[in-house]
Each structure stands twice: as structure tokens, then as C-alpha cells.
Amino acid sequence: MEALGLLLQGFQVLLTVDKLLLMMLGLTLGVFVGVLPGLGGPNGVAILLPLTFSMDPTSAIVMLSCIYWGALFGGAITSILFNIPGEAWSVATTFDGYPMAQKGQAAEALTAAFTSSFVGSLAAVLLITFVAPSVAGFALRFGPPEFFAVYLLTFCSFVGLGREARHKIVISMTLGLLLTGIGMDTVSGQLRMTFGFTDLLRGINFLVAVIGLFGISEILLTMEERLALRGHAARISLKVVFRTWASLPRYWATLARSAVIGCWLGVTPGGAIAASFMGYNLAKRFARDKTGFGKGRIDGVLAPETAAHAAGTAALLPMLALGIPGSGTAAILLGGLMVWGLNPGPLMFVEHKEFVWGTIASMYLGNVVGLVLVLSTVPLFAAVLRVPFAAIAPMIIVSCAIGAYAIQNAMFDVWLMLGFGVLGYVFKKLDIPLAPLTLALVLGNRAEDAFRLSMIGSGGDLRVFWSNGLVGTLTTLALLLLFWPAITGLVSRAGRLVRADA
């Protein structure tokens, strides 16, 4: 009941004219970047983040989170109408969404996608509402060893549970940790790896790196691919909406299963991409008629969209409660909160209640308004895809440059942004994930400080990370996750040997 009372206070903070206007602006921009291949939620949030520095934190996070919700909705438009995923997690939506559009059922597919997106996000927001305060209250017991154990758990889970090649995840994360060491050491005050460049005394700014890694690199890739978009037209009528909604109760098991999968993979580092494919595969596995998948089945749209949106929203739970992002976008939002002078984590639920519950309230209202917006404006946003990319790309690059320069009013940051853009382009060509790099850039300094404070307090004794049941459990779990692929491999090999002997 306390959570409901605090949520009502959050709605009181949110329901002002200026914040509602920012919500609409954020949703519109989010759908816009979601439908354009080469942008998407993380990129849109990264590019527009510097423009919110003049706002109060609540207004800024409302606008940025609505950009994210809008991008989640918008990614389905290109997947269904053009067979081009606007977002990486929309790939599975193309399997049945585009065949439905080819059969003249584009409106039904879009309605199903938007509605299931709303259901998945709603499930995750309910999870955040009732679980985050408990997690935050529990985390108030944490000291430096416990915080380092949590950071270690996050890093190890990315390596052990990640879907990409392990060595590529390690390369990405190691580079991020190395970059966080540039600048002044916060413990000793010594300069590290500045190589005589005075511009590096402040270190590598997280936002400059993110704008380059996500914004500039995607522009370079899209320019290389020379995308020419041709798709199916769609206009959603109320009749189609109500007819599609009437059919959804038949798929309640698919929706519930995909929401659970998405929430789980959002809180853990599995992410929305893994959630969408897992949701689709399980829907196919449990379906009575498996042959229809890939030919235009509505549950082939419902499952990946529900799972992806639940995962994308649930990733904000560990970010708010523990200060640990569950996705690349959550990491970008975490960096923004730190710029605004807020430290996400358990104390934020005590010291900044209005901000936290205003943010959670914006998730509810943003999803409702976003659903209405996309259902009523599909033709408009689909038409955006017919604008020549040559006209859009320069605008995006200029926005990135202005955003990078505005952070510290330094031209050096613009060149640094371009360098990170090239790095992001190379990483994507080599299929090296950017999420571990982003995570390390955000948490690297905090993890180092927690580790060194733990070592100072214990006199250099590593046993401090097993000094009580809480920190010992976290550290042991982190090591188990790090070596999880090897453990599962040994178990499966032992099982094969036992069966062979039998």
C-alpha cells in the first residue's frame, strides 16, 4: 500500500502542463528515431541527452524515458511494413509481421505489435513499482565490499550469460575499463594515462563516448548500406483495433509467458534482443500448429514484442534500485542522472522520492499515451521512411556535434566523439558488442573506487569479499556466472560420458 501512495504522489509531480508537453515531445521524437534504421532508442537518448541539461532532473528523465518508450513502439513499424528492423530487438517481429503485411493484414499486425508492447511494458512497470523499493531498502545495508561485489556480479554476468562470443565481450568490457582510468585518480589524486594532453585531465566523458559509439557509428553504417526503403501502406481504423483486441484473450498464455521472459532478461543482462527471440521460439514451441510460423501468425508478432518491451522496461529496475544498468539505454540514462547530480541506488529512494516516483509514474502514463499516439499516426511515421537519408544524416551529425560540444564547451570533445564513432563502426563490423563497453564506461570508476576502499579498509585482504553472508554470496555468485559456460560444458560432457558407459 505504501508503494501505491508514493505512486500517487509521483502522478501529482508528473501531471503538470510542462511535463505532459515534454512527454508528448519525447514520445514523438522516440517514434521518429525508432522507425529510422540507424537510430533507435539508445542512439536517440544518447544524442538528445545533452539537450536536457538545462531542465530539472524530473523533466529531463521524463522526456528521455518517453523517447525510449516511443522508440520501442516505433521499431515495429519498419519491421512490419518494410521488413527492416528499426531496432535490433525487432528482428523477430519481421518473421511473421511482414508476411501479415504482404497478405493485406498490416493494420492487424501493427495493432497486435503495439498492444503487446504496451502489455509487456506494463508488466515490467508493475514489477518496478512493487519490487524496486524492497530492493533499495535491502541495498541500504551495502558498504564498499558489497557494492564492489554487485559491480563484479554485473560484469561477470555480462560475460557468462551474454549471447555474443565471450572473447568479444571481454574485449569490449576491458577497453571500457581501460578508458575509465584516464584522468585523475579519485583516490590518490595522481594523473593517469593523460600523455601530456591537458584535455584528458578531466578523463573521457561518458556522454561524449556514447554519442559517438551509438550516433555517429550508426550513421556510418547506414551510409555504407545505402538503404532504399520500399514498404506496404497501412492505416489503422477503430474497427481493426477492436477486432484485433477481441482476439487477444486467446493468446493470454503467450502474452503472460513472454512478459515473464522479458522481465527476467531485462533485470539480468540478457536484454531485449535475447528476450524477443526467446519469446518467439517458445511461442512456436508451445503452439499447436507450428507450421504456420513465419507465414503470418499474429502470435508470432505478439510474443517477441511483449518480451522485448518487458525486457527494455525491466532493465530500469536495477538502474533505479542499485545504480546498475540492465541495458545500454539504462546505462545512458544512468550517466545522465549522474550528470544531474543524482546517484541512482538505494539512497535515491530516500533522498529523492519525488524524482523516483515521478519517473515511475511517467512509465505508466507514457505507455498509455504512446499506445494511442502510434495507433493514430502510423501513416505519418511510415512516410518518414521515404525521406531521402541524405537529407536526414547531416541533421543527425550536426545534432551529435552540438550535443558533444555542449557538455563541457570543448572542441576536443567533438573530435573525441568522432573517434568513438569510428570505434563503434569498427566494433559493429567485427560484431563486437557495445553494451559491455558502455557498461564499463559507466561503472568502471565506481567499481574501482569500491574495490580500493575495500582494500584500504581490510588492509589488502581479499577475504573481505567473503567477510559476511551477503558479500560472500554475491562474490561467489559472480564467479559462478563468470565460469558458467565452462561449468555447463563440463556437466553436459559428464552426462554424455555417463550415458555412453550405460
PDB file of all heavy atoms in Angstrom, residues 65-95:
ATOM      1  N   SER A  65      12.993   9.154 -21.015  1.00  0.00           N
ATOM      2  CA  SER A  65      12.357   7.836 -20.930  1.00  0.00           C
ATOM      3  C   SER A  65      11.241   7.706 -21.963  1.00  0.00           C
ATOM      4  O   SER A  65      11.033   6.626 -22.536  1.00  0.00           O
ATOM      5  CB  SER A  65      11.809   7.602 -19.521  1.00  0.00           C
ATOM      6  OG  SER A  65      10.835   8.568 -19.179  1.00  0.00           O
ATOM      7  N   CYS A  66      10.547   8.811 -22.257  1.00  0.00           N
ATOM      8  CA  CYS A  66       9.498   8.757 -23.287  1.00  0.00           C
ATOM      9  C   CYS A  66      10.091   8.605 -24.681  1.00  0.00           C
ATOM     10  O   CYS A  66       9.464   7.998 -25.561  1.00  0.00           O
ATOM     11  CB  CYS A  66       8.614  10.002 -23.201  1.00  0.00           C
ATOM     12  SG  CYS A  66       7.461   9.949 -21.809  1.00  0.00           S
ATOM     13  N   ILE A  67      11.282   9.153 -24.903  1.00  0.00           N
ATOM     14  CA  ILE A  67      11.982   8.882 -26.164  1.00  0.00           C
ATOM     15  C   ILE A  67      12.219   7.375 -26.295  1.00  0.00           C
ATOM     16  O   ILE A  67      12.034   6.776 -27.365  1.00  0.00           O
ATOM     17  CB  ILE A  67      13.316   9.651 -26.222  1.00  0.00           C
ATOM     18  CG1 ILE A  67      13.060  11.150 -26.355  1.00  0.00           C
ATOM     19  CG2 ILE A  67      14.180   9.161 -27.391  1.00  0.00           C
ATOM     20  CD1 ILE A  67      14.312  11.997 -26.237  1.00  0.00           C
ATOM     21  N   TYR A  68      12.602   6.773 -25.193  1.00  0.00           N
ATOM     22  CA  TYR A  68      12.853   5.328 -25.180  1.00  0.00           C
ATOM     23  C   TYR A  68      11.576   4.544 -25.449  1.00  0.00           C
ATOM     24  O   TYR A  68      11.552   3.617 -26.276  1.00  0.00           O
ATOM     25  CB  TYR A  68      13.454   4.948 -23.825  1.00  0.00           C
ATOM     26  CG  TYR A  68      13.899   3.518 -23.705  1.00  0.00           C
ATOM     27  CD1 TYR A  68      14.468   2.840 -24.775  1.00  0.00           C
ATOM     28  CD2 TYR A  68      13.772   2.837 -22.500  1.00  0.00           C
ATOM     29  CE1 TYR A  68      14.892   1.530 -24.654  1.00  0.00           C
ATOM     30  CE2 TYR A  68      14.189   1.526 -22.364  1.00  0.00           C
ATOM     31  CZ  TYR A  68      14.746   0.875 -23.452  1.00  0.00           C
ATOM     32  OH  TYR A  68      15.161  -0.431 -23.324  1.00  0.00           O
ATOM     33  N   TRP A  69      10.445   4.925 -24.751  1.00  0.00           N
ATOM     34  CA  TRP A  69       9.188   4.212 -24.989  1.00  0.00           C
ATOM     35  C   TRP A  69       8.765   4.375 -26.445  1.00  0.00           C
ATOM     36  O   TRP A  69       8.318   3.417 -27.088  1.00  0.00           O
ATOM     37  CB  TRP A  69       8.050   4.736 -24.100  1.00  0.00           C
ATOM     38  CG  TRP A  69       8.339   4.879 -22.635  1.00  0.00           C
ATOM     39  CD1 TRP A  69       7.890   5.877 -21.828  1.00  0.00           C
ATOM     40  CD2 TRP A  69       9.104   4.021 -21.792  1.00  0.00           C
ATOM     41  NE1 TRP A  69       8.341   5.706 -20.547  1.00  0.00           N
ATOM     42  CE2 TRP A  69       9.089   4.570 -20.493  1.00  0.00           C
ATOM     43  CE3 TRP A  69       9.820   2.850 -22.000  1.00  0.00           C
ATOM     44  CZ2 TRP A  69       9.749   3.994 -19.412  1.00  0.00           C
ATOM     45  CZ3 TRP A  69      10.481   2.265 -20.927  1.00  0.00           C
ATOM     46  CH2 TRP A  69      10.439   2.832 -19.665  1.00  0.00           C
ATOM     47  N   GLY A  70       8.882   5.593 -26.972  1.00  0.00           N
ATOM     48  CA  GLY A  70       8.489   5.829 -28.358  1.00  0.00           C
ATOM     49  C   GLY A  70       9.305   5.010 -29.334  1.00  0.00           C
ATOM     50  O   GLY A  70       8.771   4.464 -30.309  1.00  0.00           O
ATOM     51  N   ALA A  71      10.606   4.898 -29.066  1.00  0.00           N
ATOM     52  CA  ALA A  71      11.461   4.098 -29.950  1.00  0.00           C
ATOM     53  C   ALA A  71      11.091   2.620 -29.893  1.00  0.00           C
ATOM     54  O   ALA A  71      11.141   1.915 -30.911  1.00  0.00           O
ATOM     55  CB  ALA A  71      12.928   4.292 -29.564  1.00  0.00           C
ATOM     56  N   LEU A  72      10.722   2.141 -28.707  1.00  0.00           N
ATOM     57  CA  LEU A  72      10.281   0.751 -28.585  1.00  0.00           C
ATOM     58  C   LEU A  72       9.044   0.497 -29.446  1.00  0.00           C
ATOM     59  O   LEU A  72       8.940  -0.526 -30.129  1.00  0.00           O
ATOM     60  CB  LEU A  72       9.967   0.433 -27.122  1.00  0.00           C
ATOM     61  CG  LEU A  72      11.164   0.264 -26.176  1.00  0.00           C
ATOM     62  CD1 LEU A  72      10.701   0.190 -24.736  1.00  0.00           C
ATOM     63  CD2 LEU A  72      11.960  -0.980 -26.524  1.00  0.00           C
ATOM     64  N   PHE A  73       8.096   1.441 -29.424  1.00  0.00           N
ATOM     65  CA  PHE A  73       6.906   1.306 -30.266  1.00  0.00           C
ATOM     66  C   PHE A  73       7.267   1.434 -31.748  1.00  0.00           C
ATOM     67  O   PHE A  73       6.784   0.676 -32.587  1.00  0.00           O
ATOM     68  CB  PHE A  73       5.884   2.396 -29.904  1.00  0.00           C
ATOM     69  CG  PHE A  73       5.083   2.108 -28.671  1.00  0.00           C
ATOM     70  CD1 PHE A  73       5.202   2.906 -27.547  1.00  0.00           C
ATOM     71  CD2 PHE A  73       4.201   1.047 -28.638  1.00  0.00           C
ATOM     72  CE1 PHE A  73       4.456   2.648 -26.406  1.00  0.00           C
ATOM     73  CE2 PHE A  73       3.440   0.778 -27.501  1.00  0.00           C
ATOM     74  CZ  PHE A  73       3.584   1.581 -26.382  1.00  0.00           C
ATOM     75  N   GLY A  74       8.106   2.413 -32.076  1.00  0.00           N
ATOM     76  CA  GLY A  74       8.383   2.717 -33.482  1.00  0.00           C
ATOM     77  C   GLY A  74       9.130   1.633 -34.226  1.00  0.00           C
ATOM     78  O   GLY A  74       8.991   1.500 -35.441  1.00  0.00           O
ATOM     79  N   GLY A  75       9.935   0.843 -33.504  1.00  0.00           N
ATOM     80  CA  GLY A  75      10.705  -0.195 -34.182  1.00  0.00           C
ATOM     81  C   GLY A  75       9.835  -1.213 -34.897  1.00  0.00           C
ATOM     82  O   GLY A  75      10.259  -1.818 -35.889  1.00  0.00           O
ATOM     83  N   ALA A  76       8.594  -1.403 -34.414  1.00  0.00           N
ATOM     84  CA  ALA A  76       7.705  -2.379 -35.047  1.00  0.00           C
ATOM     85  C   ALA A  76       7.198  -1.904 -36.402  1.00  0.00           C
ATOM     86  O   ALA A  76       6.868  -2.728 -37.267  1.00  0.00           O
ATOM     87  CB  ALA A  76       6.517  -2.675 -34.136  1.00  0.00           C
ATOM     88  N   ILE A  77       7.141  -0.594 -36.625  1.00  0.00           N
ATOM     89  CA  ILE A  77       6.582  -0.068 -37.885  1.00  0.00           C
ATOM     90  C   ILE A  77       7.427  -0.496 -39.066  1.00  0.00           C
ATOM     91  O   ILE A  77       6.912  -1.007 -40.072  1.00  0.00           O
ATOM     92  CB  ILE A  77       6.459   1.464 -37.812  1.00  0.00           C
ATOM     93  CG1 ILE A  77       5.471   1.861 -36.708  1.00  0.00           C
ATOM     94  CG2 ILE A  77       6.011   2.037 -39.160  1.00  0.00           C
ATOM     95  CD1 ILE A  77       5.352   3.353 -36.490  1.00  0.00           C
ATOM     96  N   THR A  78       8.750  -0.301 -38.975  1.00  0.00           N
ATOM     97  CA  THR A  78       9.611  -0.693 -40.098  1.00  0.00           C
ATOM     98  C   THR A  78       9.683  -2.202 -40.245  1.00  0.00           C
ATOM     99  O   THR A  78       9.797  -2.718 -41.356  1.00  0.00           O
ATOM    100  CB  THR A  78      11.033  -0.140 -39.904  1.00  0.00           C
ATOM    101  OG1 THR A  78      11.463  -0.443 -38.573  1.00  0.00           O
ATOM    102  CG2 THR A  78      11.065   1.350 -40.106  1.00  0.00           C
ATOM    103  N   SER A  79       9.635  -2.924 -39.117  1.00  0.00           N
ATOM    104  CA  SER A  79       9.712  -4.385 -39.198  1.00  0.00           C
ATOM    105  C   SER A  79       8.527  -4.963 -39.961  1.00  0.00           C
ATOM    106  O   SER A  79       8.684  -5.880 -40.772  1.00  0.00           O
ATOM    107  CB  SER A  79       9.749  -4.979 -37.784  1.00  0.00           C
ATOM    108  OG  SER A  79      10.886  -4.544 -37.094  1.00  0.00           O
ATOM    109  N   ILE A  80       7.334  -4.433 -39.702  1.00  0.00           N
ATOM    110  CA  ILE A  80       6.115  -4.994 -40.293  1.00  0.00           C
ATOM    111  C   ILE A  80       5.865  -4.450 -41.698  1.00  0.00           C
ATOM    112  O   ILE A  80       5.518  -5.210 -42.613  1.00  0.00           O
ATOM    113  CB  ILE A  80       4.920  -4.708 -39.367  1.00  0.00           C
ATOM    114  CG1 ILE A  80       5.069  -5.527 -38.068  1.00  0.00           C
ATOM    115  CG2 ILE A  80       3.596  -5.045 -40.050  1.00  0.00           C
ATOM    116  CD1 ILE A  80       4.078  -5.167 -36.993  1.00  0.00           C
ATOM    117  N   LEU A  81       6.056  -3.161 -41.912  1.00  0.00           N
ATOM    118  CA  LEU A  81       5.731  -2.571 -43.208  1.00  0.00           C
ATOM    119  C   LEU A  81       6.860  -2.682 -44.226  1.00  0.00           C
ATOM    120  O   LEU A  81       6.609  -2.760 -45.426  1.00  0.00           O
ATOM    121  CB  LEU A  81       5.368  -1.088 -43.033  1.00  0.00           C
ATOM    122  CG  LEU A  81       4.145  -0.775 -42.153  1.00  0.00           C
ATOM    123  CD1 LEU A  81       3.873   0.719 -42.178  1.00  0.00           C
ATOM    124  CD2 LEU A  81       2.933  -1.552 -42.624  1.00  0.00           C
ATOM    125  N   PHE A  82       8.123  -2.687 -43.748  1.00  0.00           N
ATOM    126  CA  PHE A  82       9.256  -2.629 -44.672  1.00  0.00           C
ATOM    127  C   PHE A  82      10.197  -3.823 -44.556  1.00  0.00           C
ATOM    128  O   PHE A  82      11.173  -3.916 -45.302  1.00  0.00           O
ATOM    129  CB  PHE A  82      10.061  -1.347 -44.430  1.00  0.00           C
ATOM    130  CG  PHE A  82       9.314  -0.092 -44.762  1.00  0.00           C
ATOM    131  CD1 PHE A  82       8.456   0.475 -43.846  1.00  0.00           C
ATOM    132  CD2 PHE A  82       9.448   0.514 -46.003  1.00  0.00           C
ATOM    133  CE1 PHE A  82       7.748   1.631 -44.140  1.00  0.00           C
ATOM    134  CE2 PHE A  82       8.748   1.665 -46.308  1.00  0.00           C
ATOM    135  CZ  PHE A  82       7.889   2.223 -45.385  1.00  0.00           C
ATOM    136  N   ASN A  83       9.920  -4.728 -43.600  1.00  0.00           N
ATOM    137  CA  ASN A  83      10.783  -5.890 -43.374  1.00  0.00           C
ATOM    138  C   ASN A  83      12.203  -5.479 -43.001  1.00  0.00           C
ATOM    139  O   ASN A  83      13.164  -6.206 -43.251  1.00  0.00           O
ATOM    140  CB  ASN A  83      10.814  -6.809 -44.605  1.00  0.00           C
ATOM    141  CG  ASN A  83      11.236  -8.226 -44.232  1.00  0.00           C
ATOM    142  OD1 ASN A  83      10.988  -8.683 -43.121  1.00  0.00           O
ATOM    143  ND2 ASN A  83      11.881  -8.913 -45.157  1.00  0.00           N
ATOM    144  N   ILE A  84      12.349  -4.288 -42.421  1.00  0.00           N
ATOM    145  CA  ILE A  84      13.648  -3.792 -41.960  1.00  0.00           C
ATOM    146  C   ILE A  84      13.504  -3.455 -40.483  1.00  0.00           C
ATOM    147  O   ILE A  84      12.767  -2.529 -40.136  1.00  0.00           O
ATOM    148  CB  ILE A  84      14.099  -2.541 -42.737  1.00  0.00           C
ATOM    149  CG1 ILE A  84      14.270  -2.868 -44.215  1.00  0.00           C
ATOM    150  CG2 ILE A  84      15.395  -1.980 -42.163  1.00  0.00           C
ATOM    151  CD1 ILE A  84      14.571  -1.663 -45.064  1.00  0.00           C
ATOM    152  N   PRO A  85      14.173  -4.185 -39.588  1.00  0.00           N
ATOM    153  CA  PRO A  85      14.025  -3.900 -38.159  1.00  0.00           C
ATOM    154  C   PRO A  85      14.510  -2.496 -37.817  1.00  0.00           C
ATOM    155  O   PRO A  85      15.672  -2.163 -38.054  1.00  0.00           O
ATOM    156  CB  PRO A  85      14.909  -4.962 -37.482  1.00  0.00           C
ATOM    157  CG  PRO A  85      15.085  -6.021 -38.523  1.00  0.00           C
ATOM    158  CD  PRO A  85      15.054  -5.327 -39.852  1.00  0.00           C
ATOM    159  N   GLY A  86      13.628  -1.677 -37.266  1.00  0.00           N
ATOM    160  CA  GLY A  86      14.050  -0.356 -36.811  1.00  0.00           C
ATOM    161  C   GLY A  86      14.922  -0.462 -35.577  1.00  0.00           C
ATOM    162  O   GLY A  86      15.702   0.429 -35.282  1.00  0.00           O
ATOM    163  N   GLU A  87      14.776  -1.554 -34.842  1.00  0.00           N
ATOM    164  CA  GLU A  87      15.581  -1.841 -33.661  1.00  0.00           C
ATOM    165  C   GLU A  87      16.080  -3.272 -33.762  1.00  0.00           C
ATOM    166  O   GLU A  87      15.463  -4.113 -34.416  1.00  0.00           O
ATOM    167  CB  GLU A  87      14.740  -1.692 -32.379  1.00  0.00           C
ATOM    168  CG  GLU A  87      14.213  -0.299 -32.118  1.00  0.00           C
ATOM    169  CD  GLU A  87      15.250   0.602 -31.490  1.00  0.00           C
ATOM    170  OE1 GLU A  87      16.403   0.156 -31.344  1.00  0.00           O
ATOM    171  OE2 GLU A  87      14.912   1.744 -31.157  1.00  0.00           O
ATOM    172  N   ALA A  88      17.195  -3.562 -33.091  1.00  0.00           N
ATOM    173  CA  ALA A  88      17.748  -4.919 -33.141  1.00  0.00           C
ATOM    174  C   ALA A  88      16.778  -5.936 -32.564  1.00  0.00           C
ATOM    175  O   ALA A  88      16.700  -7.075 -33.020  1.00  0.00           O
ATOM    176  CB  ALA A  88      19.077  -4.957 -32.384  1.00  0.00           C
ATOM    177  N   TRP A  89      16.009  -5.505 -31.538  1.00  0.00           N
ATOM    178  CA  TRP A  89      15.074  -6.450 -30.915  1.00  0.00           C
ATOM    179  C   TRP A  89      13.805  -6.636 -31.743  1.00  0.00           C
ATOM    180  O   TRP A  89      12.950  -7.419 -31.384  1.00  0.00           O
ATOM    181  CB  TRP A  89      14.705  -5.993 -29.503  1.00  0.00           C
ATOM    182  CG  TRP A  89      14.208  -4.581 -29.411  1.00  0.00           C
ATOM    183  CD1 TRP A  89      13.001  -4.111 -29.823  1.00  0.00           C
ATOM    184  CD2 TRP A  89      14.909  -3.464 -28.885  1.00  0.00           C
ATOM    185  NE1 TRP A  89      12.901  -2.766 -29.585  1.00  0.00           N
ATOM    186  CE2 TRP A  89      14.066  -2.334 -29.007  1.00  0.00           C
ATOM    187  CE3 TRP A  89      16.171  -3.296 -28.307  1.00  0.00           C
ATOM    188  CZ2 TRP A  89      14.446  -1.071 -28.581  1.00  0.00           C
ATOM    189  CZ3 TRP A  89      16.541  -2.041 -27.889  1.00  0.00           C
ATOM    190  CH2 TRP A  89      15.688  -0.948 -28.016  1.00  0.00           C
ATOM    191  N   SER A  90      13.675  -5.906 -32.851  1.00  0.00           N
ATOM    192  CA  SER A  90      12.503  -6.058 -33.716  1.00  0.00           C
ATOM    193  C   SER A  90      12.728  -7.084 -34.823  1.00  0.00           C
ATOM    194  O   SER A  90      11.847  -7.288 -35.654  1.00  0.00           O
ATOM    195  CB  SER A  90      12.134  -4.711 -34.346  1.00  0.00           C
ATOM    196  OG  SER A  90      11.754  -3.788 -33.361  1.00  0.00           O
ATOM    197  N   VAL A  91      13.903  -7.708 -34.840  1.00  0.00           N
ATOM    198  CA  VAL A  91      14.196  -8.685 -35.894  1.00  0.00           C
ATOM    199  C   VAL A  91      13.170  -9.817 -35.873  1.00  0.00           C
ATOM    200  O   VAL A  91      12.622 -10.202 -36.913  1.00  0.00           O
ATOM    201  CB  VAL A  91      15.624  -9.246 -35.732  1.00  0.00           C
ATOM    202  CG1 VAL A  91      15.858 -10.397 -36.712  1.00  0.00           C
ATOM    203  CG2 VAL A  91      16.661  -8.155 -35.953  1.00  0.00           C
ATOM    204  N   ALA A  92      12.891 -10.357 -34.690  1.00  0.00           N
ATOM    205  CA  ALA A  92      11.951 -11.475 -34.605  1.00  0.00           C
ATOM    206  C   ALA A  92      10.544 -11.079 -35.034  1.00  0.00           C
ATOM    207  O   ALA A  92       9.774 -11.928 -35.481  1.00  0.00           O
ATOM    208  CB  ALA A  92      11.927 -12.038 -33.176  1.00  0.00           C
ATOM    209  N   THR A  93      10.214  -9.788 -34.914  1.00  0.00           N
ATOM    210  CA  THR A  93       8.890  -9.320 -35.332  1.00  0.00           C
ATOM    211  C   THR A  93       8.711  -9.427 -36.835  1.00  0.00           C
ATOM    212  O   THR A  93       7.587  -9.608 -37.330  1.00  0.00           O
ATOM    213  CB  THR A  93       8.681  -7.862 -34.885  1.00  0.00           C
ATOM    214  OG1 THR A  93       8.949  -7.764 -33.477  1.00  0.00           O
ATOM    215  CG2 THR A  93       7.259  -7.402 -35.144  1.00  0.00           C
ATOM    216  N   THR A  94       9.803  -9.326 -37.585  1.00  0.00           N
ATOM    217  CA  THR A  94       9.698  -9.404 -39.049  1.00  0.00           C
ATOM    218  C   THR A  94       9.286 -10.799 -39.517  1.00  0.00           C
ATOM    219  O   THR A  94       8.734 -10.947 -40.608  1.00  0.00           O
ATOM    220  CB  THR A  94      11.042  -9.051 -39.719  1.00  0.00           C
ATOM    221  OG1 THR A  94      12.045 -10.018 -39.341  1.00  0.00           O
ATOM    222  CG2 THR A  94      11.519  -7.666 -39.296  1.00  0.00           C
ATOM    223  N   PHE A  95       9.554 -11.835 -38.713  1.00  0.00           N
ATOM    224  CA  PHE A  95       9.312 -13.204 -39.150  1.00  0.00           C
ATOM    225  C   PHE A  95       7.849 -13.431 -39.530  1.00  0.00           C
ATOM    226  O   PHE A  95       7.561 -14.125 -40.516  1.00  0.00           O
ATOM    227  CB  PHE A  95       9.727 -14.200 -38.057  1.00  0.00           C
ATOM    228  CG  PHE A  95      11.184 -14.156 -37.700  1.00  0.00           C
ATOM    229  CD1 PHE A  95      11.634 -14.693 -36.502  1.00  0.00           C
ATOM    230  CD2 PHE A  95      12.116 -13.573 -38.547  1.00  0.00           C
ATOM    231  CE1 PHE A  95      12.984 -14.660 -36.161  1.00  0.00           C
ATOM    232  CE2 PHE A  95      13.460 -13.528 -38.222  1.00  0.00           C
ATOM    233  CZ  PHE A  95      13.895 -14.066 -37.028  1.00  0.00           C
TER     234      PHE A  95
END
